[in-house]
Every structure is written in structure tokens, then in C-alpha cells.
Amino acid sequence: MISRASEYAIRALTFLAMQEEGSFHLARDMGERLGIPAPFLAKILQPLVARGLVHSQRGRSGGFRLARHPKQIHLYEVVDAQEHLARVRTCMLGQAECTDERACPLHHYWKSACDQYLGVLAQTSLDDLSRFAAERPDSHYPLPVPTDGGSGPLGAGLHLSDR
């Protein structure tokens, strides 16, 4: 399970991946479209800026945009910026030392589950998510599910830019 911050970061970056390349978007506008409180979204985006995944610009035509092509940004980087994924590998039962040689009762299960989880994050790019959204518009991803049957403002105007 990922944190709410990671979920929001992935949805926001998927949204940016689906916009015209190089265009900036305000956290306030993105938050409104994505159903994410703007101050929280701005806070979530800062570690992504620090890691070079997102570019921010102040001023009249400022906001946020992807710093790299969506094919080059993988979910591992996005989630790691929020959650420091090295902690995922710690012992599930709190053992100070939990290795193959000195394993806790759940070590082999947890090691396998972590490897699988981290592998999916490492192999999935923002391009994969934006293509999913374009191919399956009924999913409404990355937008929240509309409460008005899809005819309201949340379902309008999201597009996959030509690349």
C-alpha cells in the first residue's frame, strides 16, 4: 500500500504527462481538477522538484511541468521521493537483523513481496499510466470519479499530448 502523498504525486504527474509538453500548470488548478487540496499538492511536488522529476517556475506563467519525458520517469522515483523506499526492506516483524541467514518467520514472504512491489514500481513509467488513461477513458484516471455521471467539469479537457 502506498501513502496518500504517493497516490497524489502519481496522479499529479500522470496529469502533467497528459498535457502539452513543456506547459506549466498551477498547483491550485491541478488540485481542483484532481480533487487534491492545493496546499498539500504543492507540498508533495517539492521533493519531486528536488529530485529533478518536476520543474517549477514562479511568476505569471509559472507552475509545474515534468522535467523529463514521461517514459523516463518511473513510479519508483515518484514513490521514493515521498516514502524513502529503502525502509520497505526493513523487517516486517521489527527484527534488528533480518537476513537470509538470520531470518524472522516472515522473512522469505516479505522479501518476495518487496521485490515484486519494487519491481512493478521500477518498471512502470508515467507514459504507461498516461497511455492507460488515454486507452480507457471510462476509468477517469487520473481524475477522481465524477459524481455527476461524467458530464461535469472533472471529465472535460484532459488530453494526451502529441509526442
Side-chain angles (χ1 to χ4, degrees), residues 70-102:
K71 285 183 180 179
Q72 298 172 329
I73 300 175
H74 291 85
L75 298 187
Y76 184 94
E77 297 173 277
V78 178
V79 175
D80 189 49
Q82 304 299 323
E83 301 184 34
H84 309 288
L85 288 171
R87 289 186 282 180
V88 169
R89 295 243 185 232
T90 60
C91 178
M92 186 175 182
L93 298 178
Q95 296 279 111
E97 181 183 343
C98 188
T99 63
D100 288 341
E101 296 78 30
R102 191 176 166 124

PDB file of all heavy atoms in Angstrom, residues 70-102:
ATOM      1  N   PRO A  70       7.831  11.513 -20.015  1.00  0.00           N
ATOM      2  CA  PRO A  70       7.115  10.536 -19.188  1.00  0.00           C
ATOM      3  C   PRO A  70       7.661   9.107 -19.271  1.00  0.00           C
ATOM      4  O   PRO A  70       7.541   8.354 -18.308  1.00  0.00           O
ATOM      5  CB  PRO A  70       5.679  10.599 -19.724  1.00  0.00           C
ATOM      6  CG  PRO A  70       5.550  11.962 -20.306  1.00  0.00           C
ATOM      7  CD  PRO A  70       6.913  12.290 -20.857  1.00  0.00           C
ATOM      8  N   LYS A  71       8.282   8.734 -20.384  1.00  0.00           N
ATOM      9  CA  LYS A  71       8.880   7.397 -20.488  1.00  0.00           C
ATOM     10  C   LYS A  71      10.092   7.254 -19.568  1.00  0.00           C
ATOM     11  O   LYS A  71      10.495   6.141 -19.235  1.00  0.00           O
ATOM     12  CB  LYS A  71       9.319   7.115 -21.927  1.00  0.00           C
ATOM     13  CG  LYS A  71       8.192   6.810 -22.863  1.00  0.00           C
ATOM     14  CD  LYS A  71       8.721   6.480 -24.244  1.00  0.00           C
ATOM     15  CE  LYS A  71       7.562   6.178 -25.176  1.00  0.00           C
ATOM     16  NZ  LYS A  71       7.997   5.864 -26.529  1.00  0.00           N
ATOM     17  N   GLN A  72      10.675   8.387 -19.184  1.00  0.00           N
ATOM     18  CA  GLN A  72      11.893   8.371 -18.374  1.00  0.00           C
ATOM     19  C   GLN A  72      11.630   8.548 -16.884  1.00  0.00           C
ATOM     20  O   GLN A  72      12.571   8.608 -16.103  1.00  0.00           O
ATOM     21  CB  GLN A  72      12.839   9.471 -18.851  1.00  0.00           C
ATOM     22  CG  GLN A  72      13.282   9.300 -20.276  1.00  0.00           C
ATOM     23  CD  GLN A  72      14.061  10.503 -20.769  1.00  0.00           C
ATOM     24  OE1 GLN A  72      13.827  11.625 -20.342  1.00  0.00           O
ATOM     25  NE2 GLN A  72      14.995  10.254 -21.668  1.00  0.00           N
ATOM     26  N   ILE A  73      10.378   8.654 -16.495  1.00  0.00           N
ATOM     27  CA  ILE A  73      10.036   8.808 -15.081  1.00  0.00           C
ATOM     28  C   ILE A  73       9.250   7.579 -14.651  1.00  0.00           C
ATOM     29  O   ILE A  73       8.164   7.307 -15.161  1.00  0.00           O
ATOM     30  CB  ILE A  73       9.210  10.090 -14.831  1.00  0.00           C
ATOM     31  CG1 ILE A  73      10.005  11.328 -15.255  1.00  0.00           C
ATOM     32  CG2 ILE A  73       8.800  10.177 -13.356  1.00  0.00           C
ATOM     33  CD1 ILE A  73       9.233  12.631 -15.163  1.00  0.00           C
ATOM     34  N   HIS A  74       9.828   6.834 -13.725  1.00  0.00           N
ATOM     35  CA  HIS A  74       9.205   5.605 -13.242  1.00  0.00           C
ATOM     36  C   HIS A  74       8.612   5.819 -11.846  1.00  0.00           C
ATOM     37  O   HIS A  74       9.072   6.674 -11.086  1.00  0.00           O
ATOM     38  CB  HIS A  74      10.214   4.463 -13.252  1.00  0.00           C
ATOM     39  CG  HIS A  74      10.578   4.075 -14.651  1.00  0.00           C
ATOM     40  ND1 HIS A  74      11.557   4.727 -15.362  1.00  0.00           N
ATOM     41  CD2 HIS A  74      10.050   3.144 -15.488  1.00  0.00           C
ATOM     42  CE1 HIS A  74      11.626   4.208 -16.573  1.00  0.00           C
ATOM     43  NE2 HIS A  74      10.725   3.244 -16.673  1.00  0.00           N
ATOM     44  N   LEU A  75       7.605   5.028 -11.548  1.00  0.00           N
ATOM     45  CA  LEU A  75       6.898   5.195 -10.280  1.00  0.00           C
ATOM     46  C   LEU A  75       7.806   5.017  -9.075  1.00  0.00           C
ATOM     47  O   LEU A  75       7.582   5.625  -8.035  1.00  0.00           O
ATOM     48  CB  LEU A  75       5.714   4.230 -10.193  1.00  0.00           C
ATOM     49  CG  LEU A  75       4.638   4.408 -11.251  1.00  0.00           C
ATOM     50  CD1 LEU A  75       3.450   3.509 -10.953  1.00  0.00           C
ATOM     51  CD2 LEU A  75       4.202   5.858 -11.377  1.00  0.00           C
ATOM     52  N   TYR A  76       8.855   4.218  -9.214  1.00  0.00           N
ATOM     53  CA  TYR A  76       9.796   4.048  -8.100  1.00  0.00           C
ATOM     54  C   TYR A  76      10.335   5.403  -7.652  1.00  0.00           C
ATOM     55  O   TYR A  76      10.384   5.690  -6.454  1.00  0.00           O
ATOM     56  CB  TYR A  76      10.947   3.118  -8.503  1.00  0.00           C
ATOM     57  CG  TYR A  76      11.879   2.834  -7.354  1.00  0.00           C
ATOM     58  CD1 TYR A  76      11.705   1.700  -6.573  1.00  0.00           C
ATOM     59  CD2 TYR A  76      12.916   3.704  -7.031  1.00  0.00           C
ATOM     60  CE1 TYR A  76      12.538   1.439  -5.503  1.00  0.00           C
ATOM     61  CE2 TYR A  76      13.752   3.456  -5.960  1.00  0.00           C
ATOM     62  CZ  TYR A  76      13.565   2.321  -5.191  1.00  0.00           C
ATOM     63  OH  TYR A  76      14.388   2.073  -4.125  1.00  0.00           O
ATOM     64  N   GLU A  77      10.734   6.239  -8.613  1.00  0.00           N
ATOM     65  CA  GLU A  77      11.296   7.553  -8.275  1.00  0.00           C
ATOM     66  C   GLU A  77      10.262   8.437  -7.580  1.00  0.00           C
ATOM     67  O   GLU A  77      10.588   9.174  -6.658  1.00  0.00           O
ATOM     68  CB  GLU A  77      11.763   8.270  -9.539  1.00  0.00           C
ATOM     69  CG  GLU A  77      12.876   7.571 -10.282  1.00  0.00           C
ATOM     70  CD  GLU A  77      13.141   8.257 -11.603  1.00  0.00           C
ATOM     71  OE1 GLU A  77      12.410   7.964 -12.574  1.00  0.00           O
ATOM     72  OE2 GLU A  77      14.064   9.097 -11.651  1.00  0.00           O
ATOM     73  N   VAL A  78       9.033   8.371  -8.058  1.00  0.00           N
ATOM     74  CA  VAL A  78       7.961   9.210  -7.516  1.00  0.00           C
ATOM     75  C   VAL A  78       7.644   8.789  -6.084  1.00  0.00           C
ATOM     76  O   VAL A  78       7.576   9.621  -5.175  1.00  0.00           O
ATOM     77  CB  VAL A  78       6.699   9.135  -8.411  1.00  0.00           C
ATOM     78  CG1 VAL A  78       5.576   9.976  -7.828  1.00  0.00           C
ATOM     79  CG2 VAL A  78       7.021   9.570  -9.839  1.00  0.00           C
ATOM     80  N   VAL A  79       7.460   7.496  -5.876  1.00  0.00           N
ATOM     81  CA  VAL A  79       7.119   6.992  -4.549  1.00  0.00           C
ATOM     82  C   VAL A  79       8.307   7.146  -3.599  1.00  0.00           C
ATOM     83  O   VAL A  79       8.126   7.518  -2.438  1.00  0.00           O
ATOM     84  CB  VAL A  79       6.635   5.521  -4.628  1.00  0.00           C
ATOM     85  CG1 VAL A  79       6.401   4.946  -3.238  1.00  0.00           C
ATOM     86  CG2 VAL A  79       5.355   5.432  -5.459  1.00  0.00           C
ATOM     87  N   ASP A  80       9.511   6.902  -4.083  1.00  0.00           N
ATOM     88  CA  ASP A  80      10.696   7.045  -3.231  1.00  0.00           C
ATOM     89  C   ASP A  80      10.856   8.476  -2.728  1.00  0.00           C
ATOM     90  O   ASP A  80      11.284   8.692  -1.596  1.00  0.00           O
ATOM     91  CB  ASP A  80      11.950   6.598  -3.981  1.00  0.00           C
ATOM     92  CG  ASP A  80      13.163   6.525  -3.075  1.00  0.00           C
ATOM     93  OD1 ASP A  80      13.063   5.927  -1.982  1.00  0.00           O
ATOM     94  OD2 ASP A  80      14.225   7.076  -3.452  1.00  0.00           O
ATOM     95  N   ALA A  81      10.485   9.455  -3.536  1.00  0.00           N
ATOM     96  CA  ALA A  81      10.578  10.861  -3.113  1.00  0.00           C
ATOM     97  C   ALA A  81       9.659  11.147  -1.926  1.00  0.00           C
ATOM     98  O   ALA A  81       9.961  12.006  -1.100  1.00  0.00           O
ATOM     99  CB  ALA A  81      10.232  11.790  -4.275  1.00  0.00           C
ATOM    100  N   GLN A  82       8.569  10.418  -1.820  1.00  0.00           N
ATOM    101  CA  GLN A  82       7.609  10.628  -0.736  1.00  0.00           C
ATOM    102  C   GLN A  82       7.882   9.714   0.458  1.00  0.00           C
ATOM    103  O   GLN A  82       7.684  10.102   1.596  1.00  0.00           O
ATOM    104  CB  GLN A  82       6.173  10.370  -1.234  1.00  0.00           C
ATOM    105  CG  GLN A  82       5.762  11.184  -2.436  1.00  0.00           C
ATOM    106  CD  GLN A  82       5.784  12.671  -2.199  1.00  0.00           C
ATOM    107  OE1 GLN A  82       5.441  13.158  -1.129  1.00  0.00           O
ATOM    108  NE2 GLN A  82       6.216  13.424  -3.197  1.00  0.00           N
ATOM    109  N   GLU A  83       8.311   8.489   0.192  1.00  0.00           N
ATOM    110  CA  GLU A  83       8.324   7.462   1.235  1.00  0.00           C
ATOM    111  C   GLU A  83       9.687   6.863   1.563  1.00  0.00           C
ATOM    112  O   GLU A  83       9.761   6.034   2.466  1.00  0.00           O
ATOM    113  CB  GLU A  83       7.373   6.333   0.832  1.00  0.00           C
ATOM    114  CG  GLU A  83       5.964   6.826   0.647  1.00  0.00           C
ATOM    115  CD  GLU A  83       4.973   5.730   0.344  1.00  0.00           C
ATOM    116  OE1 GLU A  83       5.134   4.608   0.849  1.00  0.00           O
ATOM    117  OE2 GLU A  83       4.026   6.018  -0.400  1.00  0.00           O
ATOM    118  N   HIS A  84      10.726   7.208   0.843  1.00  0.00           N
ATOM    119  CA  HIS A  84      12.055   6.641   1.082  1.00  0.00           C
ATOM    120  C   HIS A  84      11.975   5.116   1.110  1.00  0.00           C
ATOM    121  O   HIS A  84      11.967   4.491   2.164  1.00  0.00           O
ATOM    122  CB  HIS A  84      12.671   7.206   2.354  1.00  0.00           C
ATOM    123  CG  HIS A  84      12.629   8.703   2.398  1.00  0.00           C
ATOM    124  ND1 HIS A  84      13.432   9.484   1.604  1.00  0.00           N
ATOM    125  CD2 HIS A  84      11.836   9.553   3.099  1.00  0.00           C
ATOM    126  CE1 HIS A  84      13.148  10.759   1.831  1.00  0.00           C
ATOM    127  NE2 HIS A  84      12.190  10.827   2.724  1.00  0.00           N
ATOM    128  N   LEU A  85      11.905   4.526  -0.045  1.00  0.00           N
ATOM    129  CA  LEU A  85      11.608   3.104  -0.206  1.00  0.00           C
ATOM    130  C   LEU A  85      12.621   2.158   0.429  1.00  0.00           C
ATOM    131  O   LEU A  85      12.319   0.971   0.592  1.00  0.00           O
ATOM    132  CB  LEU A  85      11.421   2.774  -1.688  1.00  0.00           C
ATOM    133  CG  LEU A  85      10.117   3.308  -2.275  1.00  0.00           C
ATOM    134  CD1 LEU A  85      10.097   3.132  -3.788  1.00  0.00           C
ATOM    135  CD2 LEU A  85       8.918   2.627  -1.638  1.00  0.00           C
ATOM    136  N   ALA A  86      13.776   2.635   0.815  1.00  0.00           N
ATOM    137  CA  ALA A  86      14.731   1.762   1.498  1.00  0.00           C
ATOM    138  C   ALA A  86      14.111   1.189   2.771  1.00  0.00           C
ATOM    139  O   ALA A  86      14.436   0.072   3.186  1.00  0.00           O
ATOM    140  CB  ALA A  86      16.011   2.521   1.827  1.00  0.00           C
ATOM    141  N   ARG A  87      13.176   1.925   3.370  1.00  0.00           N
ATOM    142  CA  ARG A  87      12.515   1.453   4.598  1.00  0.00           C
ATOM    143  C   ARG A  87      11.612   0.253   4.338  1.00  0.00           C
ATOM    144  O   ARG A  87      11.295  -0.484   5.263  1.00  0.00           O
ATOM    145  CB  ARG A  87      11.699   2.570   5.233  1.00  0.00           C
ATOM    146  CG  ARG A  87      12.575   3.646   5.837  1.00  0.00           C
ATOM    147  CD  ARG A  87      11.743   4.638   6.577  1.00  0.00           C
ATOM    148  NE  ARG A  87      11.126   5.530   5.588  1.00  0.00           N
ATOM    149  CZ  ARG A  87      10.329   6.532   5.879  1.00  0.00           C
ATOM    150  NH1 ARG A  87      10.008   6.772   7.123  1.00  0.00           N
ATOM    151  NH2 ARG A  87       9.840   7.296   4.941  1.00  0.00           N
ATOM    152  N   VAL A  88      11.181   0.043   3.095  1.00  0.00           N
ATOM    153  CA  VAL A  88      10.305  -1.082   2.769  1.00  0.00           C
ATOM    154  C   VAL A  88      11.019  -2.395   3.070  1.00  0.00           C
ATOM    155  O   VAL A  88      10.394  -3.375   3.452  1.00  0.00           O
ATOM    156  CB  VAL A  88       9.872  -1.023   1.285  1.00  0.00           C
ATOM    157  CG1 VAL A  88       9.184  -2.300   0.845  1.00  0.00           C
ATOM    158  CG2 VAL A  88       8.983   0.174   1.040  1.00  0.00           C
ATOM    159  N   ARG A  89      12.305  -2.392   2.918  1.00  0.00           N
ATOM    160  CA  ARG A  89      13.089  -3.612   3.105  1.00  0.00           C
ATOM    161  C   ARG A  89      13.339  -3.955   4.574  1.00  0.00           C
ATOM    162  O   ARG A  89      13.918  -4.989   4.861  1.00  0.00           O
ATOM    163  CB  ARG A  89      14.420  -3.476   2.393  1.00  0.00           C
ATOM    164  CG  ARG A  89      14.258  -3.382   0.896  1.00  0.00           C
ATOM    165  CD  ARG A  89      14.922  -4.546   0.265  1.00  0.00           C
ATOM    166  NE  ARG A  89      14.875  -4.429  -1.177  1.00  0.00           N
ATOM    167  CZ  ARG A  89      14.422  -5.396  -1.931  1.00  0.00           C
ATOM    168  NH1 ARG A  89      13.999  -6.507  -1.409  1.00  0.00           N
ATOM    169  NH2 ARG A  89      14.407  -5.255  -3.233  1.00  0.00           N
ATOM    170  N   THR A  90      12.933  -3.125   5.501  1.00  0.00           N
ATOM    171  CA  THR A  90      13.157  -3.445   6.915  1.00  0.00           C
ATOM    172  C   THR A  90      12.262  -4.605   7.327  1.00  0.00           C
ATOM    173  O   THR A  90      11.235  -4.875   6.706  1.00  0.00           O
ATOM    174  CB  THR A  90      12.886  -2.224   7.822  1.00  0.00           C
ATOM    175  OG1 THR A  90      11.538  -1.813   7.653  1.00  0.00           O
ATOM    176  CG2 THR A  90      13.832  -1.078   7.509  1.00  0.00           C
ATOM    177  N   CYS A  91      12.634  -5.260   8.367  1.00  0.00           N
ATOM    178  CA  CYS A  91      11.925  -6.443   8.828  1.00  0.00           C
ATOM    179  C   CYS A  91      10.479  -6.115   9.190  1.00  0.00           C
ATOM    180  O   CYS A  91      10.205  -5.168   9.920  1.00  0.00           O
ATOM    181  CB  CYS A  91      12.634  -7.035  10.042  1.00  0.00           C
ATOM    182  SG  CYS A  91      11.788  -8.488  10.710  1.00  0.00           S
ATOM    183  N   MET A  92       9.578  -6.926   8.670  1.00  0.00           N
ATOM    184  CA  MET A  92       8.156  -6.748   8.908  1.00  0.00           C
ATOM    185  C   MET A  92       7.794  -6.938  10.385  1.00  0.00           C
ATOM    186  O   MET A  92       6.837  -6.349  10.875  1.00  0.00           O
ATOM    187  CB  MET A  92       7.398  -7.755   8.042  1.00  0.00           C
ATOM    188  CG  MET A  92       5.932  -7.635   8.049  1.00  0.00           C
ATOM    189  SD  MET A  92       5.293  -8.826   6.841  1.00  0.00           S
ATOM    190  CE  MET A  92       3.581  -8.452   6.978  1.00  0.00           C
ATOM    191  N   LEU A  93       8.586  -7.737  11.093  1.00  0.00           N
ATOM    192  CA  LEU A  93       8.319  -8.016  12.498  1.00  0.00           C
ATOM    193  C   LEU A  93       9.233  -7.228  13.429  1.00  0.00           C
ATOM    194  O   LEU A  93       9.238  -7.464  14.635  1.00  0.00           O
ATOM    195  CB  LEU A  93       8.443  -9.520  12.764  1.00  0.00           C
ATOM    196  CG  LEU A  93       7.450 -10.406  11.999  1.00  0.00           C
ATOM    197  CD1 LEU A  93       7.694 -11.876  12.306  1.00  0.00           C
ATOM    198  CD2 LEU A  93       6.021 -10.016  12.327  1.00  0.00           C
ATOM    199  N   GLY A  94      10.016  -6.309  12.872  1.00  0.00           N
ATOM    200  CA  GLY A  94      10.837  -5.425  13.699  1.00  0.00           C
ATOM    201  C   GLY A  94      12.162  -5.972  14.162  1.00  0.00           C
ATOM    202  O   GLY A  94      12.805  -5.376  15.024  1.00  0.00           O
ATOM    203  N   GLN A  95      12.609  -7.091  13.605  1.00  0.00           N
ATOM    204  CA  GLN A  95      13.908  -7.640  13.973  1.00  0.00           C
ATOM    205  C   GLN A  95      15.009  -6.657  13.585  1.00  0.00           C
ATOM    206  O   GLN A  95      14.974  -6.091  12.494  1.00  0.00           O
ATOM    207  CB  GLN A  95      14.151  -8.964  13.238  1.00  0.00           C
ATOM    208  CG  GLN A  95      13.203 -10.075  13.589  1.00  0.00           C
ATOM    209  CD  GLN A  95      13.601 -10.758  14.856  1.00  0.00           C
ATOM    210  OE1 GLN A  95      12.913 -10.628  15.853  1.00  0.00           O
ATOM    211  NE2 GLN A  95      14.703 -11.463  14.832  1.00  0.00           N
ATOM    212  N   ALA A  96      15.981  -6.472  14.448  1.00  0.00           N
ATOM    213  CA  ALA A  96      17.102  -5.584  14.141  1.00  0.00           C
ATOM    214  C   ALA A  96      17.924  -6.153  12.993  1.00  0.00           C
ATOM    215  O   ALA A  96      18.412  -5.417  12.142  1.00  0.00           O
ATOM    216  CB  ALA A  96      17.977  -5.386  15.372  1.00  0.00           C
ATOM    217  N   GLU A  97      18.092  -7.471  12.970  1.00  0.00           N
ATOM    218  CA  GLU A  97      18.796  -8.134  11.876  1.00  0.00           C
ATOM    219  C   GLU A  97      17.859  -9.183  11.293  1.00  0.00           C
ATOM    220  O   GLU A  97      17.413 -10.093  11.997  1.00  0.00           O
ATOM    221  CB  GLU A  97      20.078  -8.804  12.372  1.00  0.00           C
ATOM    222  CG  GLU A  97      20.857  -9.472  11.263  1.00  0.00           C
ATOM    223  CD  GLU A  97      22.098 -10.202  11.754  1.00  0.00           C
ATOM    224  OE1 GLU A  97      22.542  -9.942  12.871  1.00  0.00           O
ATOM    225  OE2 GLU A  97      22.598 -11.040  10.998  1.00  0.00           O
ATOM    226  N   CYS A  98      17.552  -9.029  10.016  1.00  0.00           N
ATOM    227  CA  CYS A  98      16.657  -9.979   9.346  1.00  0.00           C
ATOM    228  C   CYS A  98      17.232 -10.221   7.957  1.00  0.00           C
ATOM    229  O   CYS A  98      17.040  -9.421   7.049  1.00  0.00           O
ATOM    230  CB  CYS A  98      15.236  -9.417   9.279  1.00  0.00           C
ATOM    231  SG  CYS A  98      14.023 -10.599   8.671  1.00  0.00           S
ATOM    232  N   THR A  99      17.996 -11.299   7.829  1.00  0.00           N
ATOM    233  CA  THR A  99      18.668 -11.635   6.576  1.00  0.00           C
ATOM    234  C   THR A  99      18.311 -13.064   6.185  1.00  0.00           C
ATOM    235  O   THR A  99      17.648 -13.773   6.952  1.00  0.00           O
ATOM    236  CB  THR A  99      20.200 -11.533   6.735  1.00  0.00           C
ATOM    237  OG1 THR A  99      20.611 -12.497   7.716  1.00  0.00           O
ATOM    238  CG2 THR A  99      20.622 -10.131   7.184  1.00  0.00           C
ATOM    239  N   ASP A 100      18.763 -13.489   5.024  1.00  0.00           N
ATOM    240  CA  ASP A 100      18.516 -14.874   4.606  1.00  0.00           C
ATOM    241  C   ASP A 100      19.108 -15.852   5.626  1.00  0.00           C
ATOM    242  O   ASP A 100      18.530 -16.898   5.906  1.00  0.00           O
ATOM    243  CB  ASP A 100      19.102 -15.145   3.220  1.00  0.00           C
ATOM    244  CG  ASP A 100      18.323 -14.460   2.110  1.00  0.00           C
ATOM    245  OD1 ASP A 100      17.153 -14.076   2.335  1.00  0.00           O
ATOM    246  OD2 ASP A 100      18.885 -14.301   1.012  1.00  0.00           O
ATOM    247  N   GLU A 101      20.253 -15.476   6.205  1.00  0.00           N
ATOM    248  CA  GLU A 101      20.915 -16.346   7.171  1.00  0.00           C
ATOM    249  C   GLU A 101      20.262 -16.270   8.549  1.00  0.00           C
ATOM    250  O   GLU A 101      20.274 -17.229   9.302  1.00  0.00           O
ATOM    251  CB  GLU A 101      22.403 -15.971   7.306  1.00  0.00           C
ATOM    252  CG  GLU A 101      23.215 -16.165   6.036  1.00  0.00           C
ATOM    253  CD  GLU A 101      23.007 -15.054   5.010  1.00  0.00           C
ATOM    254  OE1 GLU A 101      22.730 -13.903   5.397  1.00  0.00           O
ATOM    255  OE2 GLU A 101      23.088 -15.352   3.807  1.00  0.00           O
ATOM    256  N   ARG A 102      19.736 -15.132   8.902  1.00  0.00           N
ATOM    257  CA  ARG A 102      19.146 -14.921  10.231  1.00  0.00           C
ATOM    258  C   ARG A 102      17.741 -14.339  10.021  1.00  0.00           C
ATOM    259  O   ARG A 102      17.474 -13.174  10.334  1.00  0.00           O
ATOM    260  CB  ARG A 102      20.034 -13.976  11.028  1.00  0.00           C
ATOM    261  CG  ARG A 102      19.665 -13.900  12.463  1.00  0.00           C
ATOM    262  CD  ARG A 102      20.654 -13.015  13.197  1.00  0.00           C
ATOM    263  NE  ARG A 102      20.103 -12.687  14.479  1.00  0.00           N
ATOM    264  CZ  ARG A 102      20.699 -12.915  15.624  1.00  0.00           C
ATOM    265  NH1 ARG A 102      21.894 -13.451  15.622  1.00  0.00           N
ATOM    266  NH2 ARG A 102      20.116 -12.595  16.746  1.00  0.00           N
TER     267      ARG A 102
END
